[in-house]
Amino acid sequence: MCHVSYVSYVLHVIWTQAVSCQTRAADLSLDQDQDRTVLCPPDCPQRVSVFGTKVYASVSSVCGAAIHSGVVGLSGGPVVVKKLPGRQNYLKSYSNGVQSQHLPRWTSSFSLARTSEPLELSSQSSTTALAAEEPALTLVSSLSDCQLDVVVVLDGSENIGRRRFNLQKNFVVRLASFLKVGPSGPHLAMVQASGAPKTEFLLNNFTQPKDLLYAIKEVSYNGGDTNTGRAILHAVESLFSPERGGRRGHPRAVLVLVDGWPSDDLDQASVLARESGINVFLVSVAKPSADELPMVPDKDFTRKAVCKDNGHFSFSIPNWFSANKHVKTLTQRLCSLDNLICSKTCYNFINLGFLIDGSSSVGDSNFRIVLDFLAELTQHFDIFDAGSRVGAVQFTYDQRLEFGLHDHMDKEQVLTALKDIYYMSGGTATGAAIEFAMHHLFSRRSTRGRDFLVVITDGQSYDDVRAPALVAQRQGVTMLAVGVAWAPMEDLRDMASEPKDAHTFFSREFTGLYEFIPKIIKAICRQFNEHN
């Protein structure tokens, strides 16, 4: 007979909403003053986004805040989340191994409390009972924080044959079970690679485990060539959009299964995947033998396909009969979020500062053109609380912080803030403005992202720009100098980071600024990729 505390534990696990380490209070869809009990998984990383102390901004990780407040420990457990009104001045503090951050204001908040349910298994009999029931509890009480969107590319070629194709499906079924695919966990889509890629189902088609496993088993064998490159290209171009279930801020991966070797080229698809922030993993089963190697079009296909050739993204399995032994290792690598380097791109992982010339020579109408140009540039970046961030400073002889990197946590807020900047008018002291931007935009050092400062000016600076620019660059800020009208090229090149030609831009007319947008984005991405 089960101990009472064990029964309480089971009931609690079943009726509590399981969340991941990255789940924010805003994701729980609570009404004002409503509370809900959630179950935090064990081993949440201590470097999660938490804003506030005791009362937290709703963009905070619930479980991170729970550890910070001491409501739960690193072993996880249940916690009561209560939604509160928004407030100003969320205070930062260090507690229980978690550093929370300051936030000037946010639209909603939450507090945390311990649950009253007995959760300790205090006797040997209850522990034995739990062990006996372990398979039934695994799906609801042992979730990881693997918030991944993954597209599996099945090998459906003639080379694999029907029998091995079914073994391959069984392998994916087992993988989906290990990943804990579900509404609050990883989502999975599937493409079959053969002569032409075939979408079997989308990321948002099956988010319940039983439905997904049934859908995988129902996939029928196509046959044909092993056009893996076309399948990867199809997955990257088509299957991660929001309309097809792609989730903002979630790492993205394509898991490619290849029996033997691909029939087509992987270069174009792999480059597009990396540039799109998608982590390509390649599982090669039954690699070509020495006698078969002369038939392989590209013997280096594994290295070219993966996100990065560092051993993390590639697997070699001798045959499909032993494939299930590798599921656990593959799951761990897919869910090693810190190692998914291709998810950290120049679009979603940078700190971007704008230094805007508001001097009298610019004029109000041209100043509006500059703001429109910066808004168009901003549109290309994925701005949210865990993504890229944008800040702006306007300068004449004086400087004014228009908004900081941590003031606006989504793109619409940044675009509105840019639009609302009013023209100062005055002289031009660009050197002092660079020093001001370093102090007010980039003084909060962070381990996340890289720092970029775009300087827009239309004339000669009355002070030295070279020394402040060198200081900024030595502190890790990449500077891009954009000159208009009478801005001297010498000043622009003195401010720009190396290579100067890639970071210096000049136009006679303010309307010519728009032509620089793709070049500036390319320069930022090139610099980002070289250092990541």
Side-chain angles (χ1 to χ4, degrees), residues 217-527:
K217 291 178 179 179
E218 288 297 298
V219 172
S220 58
Y221 173 56
N222 276 2
D225 293 331
T226 316
N227 287 334
T228 308
R230 290 179 64 183
I232 297 173
L233 197 63
H234 173 72
V236 170
E237 289 180 333
S238 306
L239 297 186
F240 289 99
S241 66
E243 298 78 19
R244 295 192 156 202
R247 295 174 291 178
R248 189 180 75 168
H250 289 243
R252 298 175 294 174
V254 174
L255 177 65
V256 184
L257 305 174
V258 178
D259 185 291
W261 59 89
S263 306
D264 61 349
D265 183 69
L266 304 185
D267 282 359
Q268 180 186 358
S270 303
V271 168
L272 180 62
R274 283 191 288 272
E275 291 181 349
S276 302
I278 295 170
N279 301 272
V280 176
F281 289 76
L282 192 138
V283 178
S284 180
V285 185
K287 291 178 68 175
S289 65
D291 294 338
E292 293 172 325
L293 276 176
M295 297 183 286
V296 180
D298 187 351
K299 299 174 181 60
D300 214 15
F301 71 88
T302 298
R303 185 184 65 81
K304 290 181 179 179
V306 295
C307 169
K308 189 174 181 65
D309 184 28
N310 61 359
H312 183 78
F313 297 90
S314 55
F315 302 80
S316 179
I317 297 176
N319 55 66
W320 287 111
F321 297 99
S322 62
N324 284 345
K325 294 191 298 185
H326 300 270
V327 168
K328 183 177 180 180
T329 301
L330 179 57
T331 303
Q332 291 170 338
R333 293 200 190 181
L334 283 168
C335 293
S336 234
L337 303 189
D338 286 342
N339 292 317
L340 299 191
I341 54 176
C342 284
S343 291
K344 301 172 183 177
T345 73
C346 55
Y347 300 102
N348 69 10
F349 206 65
I350 68 167
N351 304 312
L352 180 60
F354 296 138
L355 192 55
I356 310 166
D357 188 344
S359 61
S360 302
S361 57
V362 174
D364 187 67
S365 60
N366 287 331
F367 189 75
R368 291 291 118 194
I369 292 175
V370 170
L371 296 183
D372 289 343
F373 156 69
L374 296 177
E376 286 293 322
L377 183 59
T378 299
Q379 290 280 11
H380 290 78
F381 295 92
D382 193 7
I383 300 164
F384 58 105
D385 58 295
S388 288
R389 294 170 180 175
V390 175
V393 168
Q394 184 181 175
F395 70 96
T396 57
Y397 283 139
D398 297 318
Q399 307 86 30
R400 185 171 72 208
L401 177 65
E402 302 292 355
F403 54 92
L405 292 168
H406 302 271
D407 288 348
H408 301 300
M409 294 300 178
D410 66 55
K411 188 178 297 183
E412 289 305 315
Q413 290 181 6
V414 171
L415 295 175
T416 299
L418 282 170
K419 181 182 177 182
D420 290 343
I421 294 175
Y422 65 89
Y423 176 45
M424 289 172 64
S425 186
T428 308
T430 315
I434 295 171
E435 293 177 349
F436 182 90
M438 287 300 299
H439 181 71
H440 289 84
L441 287 181
F442 300 111
S443 60
R444 286 179 62 182
R445 304 311 301 163
S446 173
T447 56
R448 62 165 308 282
R450 288 190 60 82
D451 298 333
F452 293 84
L453 181 63
V454 178
V455 183
I456 308 100
T457 182
D458 83 323
Q460 173 82 49
S461 175
Y462 289 100
D463 61 358
D464 175 55
V465 298
R466 188 171 182 273
L470 284 174
V471 171
Q473 291 165 32
R474 286 169 184 160
Q475 292 181 15
V477 177
T478 299
M479 295 193 60
L480 299 95
V482 182
V484 194
W486 305 107
M489 186 59 70
E490 183 180 357
D491 276 9
L492 299 178
R493 292 184 68 83
D494 280 346
M495 289 187 288
S497 294
E498 295 288 352
K500 300 287 186 181
D501 290 343
H503 297 105
T504 306
F505 309 88
F506 178 78
S507 172
R508 285 291 178 196
E509 304 294 334
F510 279 86
T511 53
L513 288 172
Y514 299 102
E515 298 177 8
F516 297 145
I517 290 174
K519 295 178 182 178
I520 290 173
I521 292 169
K522 184 177 181 180
I524 289 173
C525 287
R526 183 190 298 114
Q527 187 76 5

